[in-house]
Amino acid sequence: MQLIHCPWCGPREEVEFHYGGQADVSYPESPAALSDQEWAEFVFYRDNDKGPFPERWCHSTGCRRWFNAVRDTRTYEFLAIYRVGEPVPSVPGLESTKPEVRA
């Protein structure tokens, strides 16, 4: 069983967590103004990088808080954990420390 480090509760077993998708994807400011194509791209289109990738996680059976993590998608290893709103930590192999924010 893999341990995931919750920024508030500390290390816990992975069964306590819920994956929430790609980190730092902003909700559109005016969703009603989006075309069907733009809305579909917001809802369904996400990056699928191989290697270090910023993701959103929830400690669903613990504190129930959301946080971000950089995880290597090839090895499943967690490389960094950071709270929502904090900058992405510098991780070797991560393309950018400022992920693209989609609108």
Side-chain angles (χ1 to χ4, degrees), residues 11-76:
R12 299 290 192 268
E13 293 182 1
E14 70 178 311
V15 295
E16 293 189 18
F17 295 88
H18 178 80
Y19 176 76
Q22 183 177 349
D24 303 315
V25 176
S26 298
Y27 194 79
E29 288 184 28
S30 301
L34 298 179
S35 69
D36 288 345
Q37 178 65 33
E38 291 168 328
W39 186 250
E41 288 177 11
F42 168 74
V43 172
F44 298 111
Y45 288 61
R46 295 289 183 260
D47 295 335
N48 189 18
D49 295 344
K50 199 184 288 187
F53 187 66
E55 301 173 329
R56 184 158 290 148
W57 287 81
C58 180
H59 191 184
S60 52
T61 62
C63 63
R64 296 184 178 200
R65 292 182 177 180
W66 287 91
F67 63 92
N68 293 330
V70 177
R71 184 177 63 90
D72 190 323
T73 59
R74 296 169 294 194
T75 64
Y76 204 72

Side-chain angles (χ1 to χ4, degrees), residues 78-101:
F78 283 79
L79 305 172
I81 305 285
Y82 58 105
R83 295 178 181 192
V84 174
E86 292 180 350
V88 181
S90 178
V91 174
L94 188 60
E95 288 183 20
S96 171
T97 57
K98 291 184 178 181
E100 175 186 346
V101 176

